[in-house]
């Protein structure tokens, strides 16, 4: 049994598309019938399927149609993703409990090595807050976390700059005594 | 005094949270545990910058965990205490016990 993934939307697979596809395929991978073992999501640039790099929706559609022989499409830009199995069971990834997009963009200051883990932690807890207190409080909580998390990183960067500044100044003094 | 490294207040809370959480110690759960104990809201940024500092000191080590749909397909980063971290916790506890010895709960001398 193969899952059908329907894809529409603009040409380029953007970060949000990748994020949604990754969530979908992660969920999909729980099913033993999906051909997910041959998929690999490249976080920023696209999807690798059977060793072929895919960066646009058109390439994805062609590759999936070629590889799996069915009509494939996914509504990436609308409010839900629908995944149809051969039995036509629908699995929705509701997006009304997703963190605010602006809030996610505001996390630009995060270092690359921490970004995935922190974004994941925030999204996971956002959903918990959303389930308990509703969307408004969850969004407020999320923006609070984004704002409050900026300062520890700003302080750390300032400390590094200060250290290098002091080292640079000491190095400058030492250099004067080297013939 | 030797080579003992003494922990800051927040570092000690983080290490204790990691010990308490065992195999489920990652950013979100550590942050929530500290919130519950201290009664104040901690930012996830403060948690990770402290964890990074402690990893550099050798108190904790991290490894990548599984990605889940609830996290938008993003992987978790789990943390665990190292031997050095356990020693630092013990040293901090011993220092507190020594300082507290003979004191009344309100801070006066017994």
């Amino acid at each position: 049994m193969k899952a059908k993934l329907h894809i529409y939307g603009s040409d380029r697979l953007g970060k949000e598309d990748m994020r949604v596809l990754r969530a979908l395929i992660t969920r999909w991978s729980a099913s033993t019938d999906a051909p997910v073992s041959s998929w690999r999501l490249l976080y920023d640039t696209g999807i690798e399927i059977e060793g072929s790099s895919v960066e646009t929706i058109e390439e994805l559609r062609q590759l999936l149609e070629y590889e799996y022989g069915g009509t494939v499409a996914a509504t990436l830009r609308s409010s839900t993703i629908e995944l149809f199995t051969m039995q036509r069971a629908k699995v929705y990834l509701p997006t009304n409990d997703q963190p605010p997009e602006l809030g996610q963009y505001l996390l630009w200051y995060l270092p690359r090595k921490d970004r995935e883990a922190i974004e994941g932690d925030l999204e996971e807890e956002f959903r918990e807050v959303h389930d308990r207190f509703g969307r408004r409080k969850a969004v407020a909580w999320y923006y609070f976390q984004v704002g409050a998390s900026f300062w520890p990183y700003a302080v750390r960067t300032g400390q590094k700059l200060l250290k290098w500044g002091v080292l640079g100044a000491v190095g400058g003094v030492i250099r004067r005594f080297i013939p | 005094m030797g080579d003992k490294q003494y922990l800051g207040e927040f570092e000690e809370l983080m290490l204790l949270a990691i010990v308490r959480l065992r195999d489920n110690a990652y950013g979100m759960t550590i942050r929530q545990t500290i919130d519950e104990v201290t009664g104040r809201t901690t930012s996830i940024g403060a948690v990770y910058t402290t964890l990074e500092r402690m990893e550099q000191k050798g108190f904790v080590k991290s490894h990548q965990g599984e990605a889940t749909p609830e996290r938008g397909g993003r992987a978790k980063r789990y943390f665990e205490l190292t031997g050095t971290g356990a020693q630092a916790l013990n040293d901090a506890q011993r220092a507190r016990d020594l300082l507290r010895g003979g004191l009344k709960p309100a801070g006066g001398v017994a």
Side-chain angles (χ1 to χ4, degrees):
Chain A
M1 176 174 68
K2 286 193 181 143
K4 289 184 181 179
L5 182 68
H6 295 263
I7 301 174
Y8 303 102
S10 62
D11 283 342
R12 192 118 194 127
L13 289 168
K15 236 183 207 181
E16 180 61 20
D17 301 327
M18 297 312 305
R19 194 185 64 75
V20 172
L21 269 176
R22 177 184 280 202
L24 177 69
I25 289 172
T26 300
R27 191 169 183 163
W28 197 4
S29 66
S31 161
T32 56
D33 300 313
V36 74
S37 59
S38 61
W39 295 55
R40 191 165 73 91
L41 288 178
L42 308 175
Y43 185 66
D44 285 335
T45 61
I47 306 171
E48 191 179 272
I49 303 174
E50 302 282 7
S52 299
S53 175
V54 173
E55 292 183 17
T56 68
I57 290 180
E58 189 54 37
E59 287 174 351
L60 178 61
R61 189 191 351 262
Q62 287 173 6
L63 188 62
L64 288 173
E65 285 178 349
Y66 176 78
E67 287 291 330
Y68 303 111
T71 304
V72 289
T75 313
L76 287 170
R77 304 285 182 183
S78 75
S79 60
T80 59
I81 297 286
E82 296 181 357
L83 176 67
F84 293 93
T85 66
M86 294 296 285
Q87 277 88 22
R88 296 198 177 273
K90 290 186 187 180
V91 176
Y92 287 96
L93 276 179
T95 58
N96 61 346
D97 62 347
Q98 303 246 342
E101 260 188 63
L102 175 60
Q104 294 179 70
Y105 285 125
L106 289 175
L107 289 169
W108 60 269
Y109 57 83
L110 291 177
R112 187 178 277 272
K113 63 178 178 53
D114 291 344
R115 187 183 304 267
E116 182 176 355
I118 291 179
E119 286 180 346
D121 287 342
L122 285 175
E123 180 158 348
E124 187 179 348
E125 193 163 359
F126 175 87
R127 291 174 190 269
E128 284 186 10
V129 177
H130 181 278
D131 289 345
R132 287 180 65 188
F133 301 109
R135 181 164 180 85
R136 188 174 289 185
K137 287 200 173 170
V139 168
W141 174 87
Y142 194 90
Y143 278 117
F144 172 81
Q145 283 294 323
V146 169
S149 296
F150 173 78
W151 299 111
Y153 282 102
V155 166
R156 192 182 72 167
T157 303
Q159 286 173 337
K160 283 184 184 174
L161 289 174
L162 187 64
K163 184 174 97 174
W164 288 116
V166 166
L167 285 175
V170 169
V173 169
I174 292 172
R175 223 183 359 251
R176 289 187 188 175
F177 294 96
I178 297 174
Chain B
M1 278 289 181
D3 296 330
K4 290 194 175 117
Q5 296 191 68
Y6 287 97
L7 299 169
E9 178 206 355
F10 195 58
E11 290 177 334
E12 189 177 356
L13 287 174
M14 299 266 293
L15 290 181
L16 289 170
I18 290 170
V19 170
R20 189 168 279 275
L21 288 165
R22 297 188 179 196
D23 293 339
N24 198 37
Y26 59 100
M28 187 191 89
T29 54
I30 295 170
R31 198 201 70 75
Q32 287 178 335
T33 302
I34 292 175
D35 274 10
E36 283 164 22
V37 166
T38 62
R40 64 177 193 230
T41 304
T42 312
S43 73
I44 194 72
V47 169
Y48 272 88
T49 50
T50 306
L51 285 169
E52 186 187 313
R53 190 167 62 244
M54 291 199 293
E55 199 166 12
Q56 287 171 355
K57 292 181 184 177
F59 293 164
V60 298
K61 57 184 179 183
S62 65
H63 64 274
Q64 194 168 41
E66 74 281 12
T68 63
E70 291 75 24
R71 298 173 61 83
R74 300 176 183 90
K76 295 176 185 177
R77 181 138 57 108
Y78 287 102
F79 292 87
E80 58 185 285
L81 200 66
T82 62
T84 308
Q87 185 61 48
L89 263 181
N90 290 336
D91 290 341
Q93 183 65 41
R94 196 172 302 119
R96 285 183 199 283
D97 291 343
L98 284 173
L99 286 169
R100 278 187 188 280
L103 291 178
K104 291 180 183 175
V109 179

